[in-house]
């Protein structure tokens, strides 16, 4: 089957779009950002409920269609833009954080999730639909095959829960895969791990998970660290160097990263 342009599988199941909107909770006093509103299946419900709604849509004709449809709703703003190039912090309300929603374009789901991580401090909650296999990776626990970069990157910032699994026939055209809606409840500022260099953390995790079968020490060595440096970092973070990254819980990987930052052994 030909892949739809820009991951455009539109939601046509009425119950599902309502359940997604309901999962945002009471949004009457909240700024909501929607990623990829498409023809407005979820947008229509949100526009009736949100204090302010900002829709980011890359497709020019869809953005124009929505702008026309909501032309009388001054609290709804449709922005024609690439979500990956959009600084979410500019939408932060004076009195709180943003709630975000999206039936994500599946071809860039991982990049969008990392983009959300880079904006974690301005986010309160995200209800996001993605391919089921990707959602399984985001929600995975240590010691499983799915646990990796995406799990740690997201779980460092948010508590992840799977809300529902959606079959292909809920969309038009139907995708070839099942989908899952995840709820990401972002930690408030007292519960964060103290990572300030988010992009460095991502590239550090890439090194740790580089080759799944290799030990953490070997993966870090192939990223340019000397054996001594690896030993010192592992000691500081109280991690046996022969561990594999996929066995380590999030706080351990964070401790290792923070040790590397302190020693400035990683970029
Ligand atoms: N929300 C609609 C729905 O549920 O029917 C559409 C969802 S569809 C899976 C993904 C939407 O994201 C499409 O409207 C597509 O044009 C839009 N999109 C694709 N890439 C994008 C990007 N980089 N930035 C913003 N929107 C994008």
């Amino acid at each position: 089957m030909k892949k739809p342009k820009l991951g455009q599988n539109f939601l046509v199941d009425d119950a599902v779009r309502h359940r997604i909107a309901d999962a945002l909770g009471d949004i009457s006093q909240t700024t909501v950002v929607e990623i990829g509103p498409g023809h407005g299946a979820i947008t229509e419900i949100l526009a009736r409920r949100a204090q302010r709604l900002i829709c980011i849509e890359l497709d020019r004709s869809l953005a124009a269609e929505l702008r026309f449809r909501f032309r009388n709703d001054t609290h709804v703003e449709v922005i024609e833009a690439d979500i990956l190039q959009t600084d979410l912090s500019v939408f932060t309300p004076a009195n709180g954080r943003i709630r975000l929603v999206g039936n994500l374009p599946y071809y860039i789901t991982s990049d969008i999730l990392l983009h959300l991580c880079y904006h974690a401090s301005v986010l309160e909650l995200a209800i996001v639909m993605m391919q089921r296999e990707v959602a399984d990776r985001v929600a995975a626990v240590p010691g499983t095959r799915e646990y990796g970069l995406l799990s740690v990157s997201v779980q460092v910032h948010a508590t992840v829960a799977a809300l529902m699994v959606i079959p292909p026939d809920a969309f038009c055209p139907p995708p070839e895969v099942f989908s899952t809606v995840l709820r990401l409840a972002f930690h408030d500022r007292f519960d964060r791990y103290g990572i300030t260099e988010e992009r460095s953390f991502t590239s550090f995790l890439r090194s740790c998970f580089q080759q799944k079968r290799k030990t953490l020490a070997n993966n870090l060595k192939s990223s340019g660290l000397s054996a001594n440096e690896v030993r010192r970092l592992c000691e500081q973070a109280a991690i046996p160097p022969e561990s594999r990254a996929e066995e380590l819980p999030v706080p351990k990987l964070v401790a290792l990263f923070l040790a590397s930052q302190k020693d400035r052994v990683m970029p």
Side-chain angles (χ1 to χ4, degrees):
M1 195 197 294
K2 194 169 155 258
K3 283 219 164 121
K5 178 187 133 197
L6 297 177
Q8 291 174 344
N9 299 98
F10 299 107
L11 196 52
V12 290
D13 185 310
D14 196 47
V16 172
R17 70 190 186 111
H18 277 92
R19 283 174 70 191
I20 291 173
D22 290 350
L24 282 171
D26 177 359
I27 48 173
S28 58
Q29 304 301 317
T30 306
T31 296
V32 176
V33 172
E34 184 180 7
I35 300 175
H39 290 294
I42 307 167
T43 325
E44 185 194 21
I45 307 167
L46 302 176
R48 290 197 296 265
R49 299 182 182 174
Q51 183 179 49
R52 182 178 177 210
L53 174 61
I54 295 138
C55 307
I56 317 280
E57 173 57 63
L58 183 60
D59 185 305
R60 173 158 296 183
S61 62
L62 288 175
E65 174 190 319
L66 287 177
R67 214 172 277 134
F68 181 74
R69 182 162 161 196
F70 296 105
R71 64 193 177 286
N72 295 324
D73 295 297
T74 51
H75 66 296
V76 179
E77 204 176 322
V78 179
I79 301 175
E80 183 193 321
D82 180 348
I83 183 62
L84 298 177
Q85 304 299 325
T86 304
D87 177 3
L88 296 174
S89 59
V90 300
F91 308 123
T92 316
N95 58 346
R97 290 182 284 164
I98 298 164
R99 293 193 197 171
L100 183 137
V101 66
N103 169 11
L104 301 182
Y106 292 177
Y107 72 109
I108 47 168
T109 299
S110 303
D111 291 337
I112 293 178
L113 288 168
L114 292 176
H115 191 67
L116 299 189
C117 294
Y118 300 153
H119 291 88
S121 62
V122 299
L123 294 173
E124 180 192 7
L125 178 70
I127 306 296
V128 275
M129 171 139 65
M130 64 200 73
Q131 181 176 338
R132 181 169 57 181
E133 290 73 14
V134 180
D136 289 347
R137 280 163 50 205
V138 176
V141 295
T144 60
R145 203 162 43 90
E146 289 80 13
Y147 185 71
L149 170 81
L150 216 45
S151 335
V152 180
S153 302
V154 174
Q155 290 175 28
V156 125
H157 294 294
T159 303
V160 180
L163 296 185
M164 53 190 143
V165 175
I166 317 284
D169 65 7
F171 306 87
C172 182
E176 287 164 13
V177 291
F178 275 67
S179 304
T180 297
V181 178
L182 288 184
R183 178 181 203 275
L184 313 180
F186 285 82
H187 306 318
D188 68 33
R189 67 194 164 96
F190 302 108
D191 292 331
R192 293 201 199 119
Y193 284 97
I195 293 169
T196 49
E197 298 297 325
E198 189 67 42
R199 282 179 170 75
S200 306
F201 184 53
T202 306
S203 73
F204 177 77
L205 290 176
R206 276 191 215 287
S207 306
C208 294
F209 287 101
Q210 208 176 141
Q211 287 204 31
K212 286 226 160 188
R213 279 172 312 144
K214 279 192 178 178
T215 62
L216 184 66
N218 282 339
N219 271 334
L220 288 174
K221 276 189 239 160
S222 16
S223 306
L225 264 67
S226 71
N228 272 343
E229 284 165 338
V230 171
R231 200 173 323 110
R232 211 176 48 245
L233 287 189
C234 288
E235 255 169 42
Q236 280 181 36
I239 293 170
E242 66 279 7
S243 332
R244 287 182 166 71
E246 60 264 32
E247 300 161 353
L248 297 175
V250 171
K252 285 278 179 200
L253 286 160
V254 172
L256 196 64
F257 169 69
L258 293 177
S260 79
Q261 291 280 289
K262 210 167 75 202
D263 283 15
R264 298 212 173 278
V265 291
M266 295 290 280

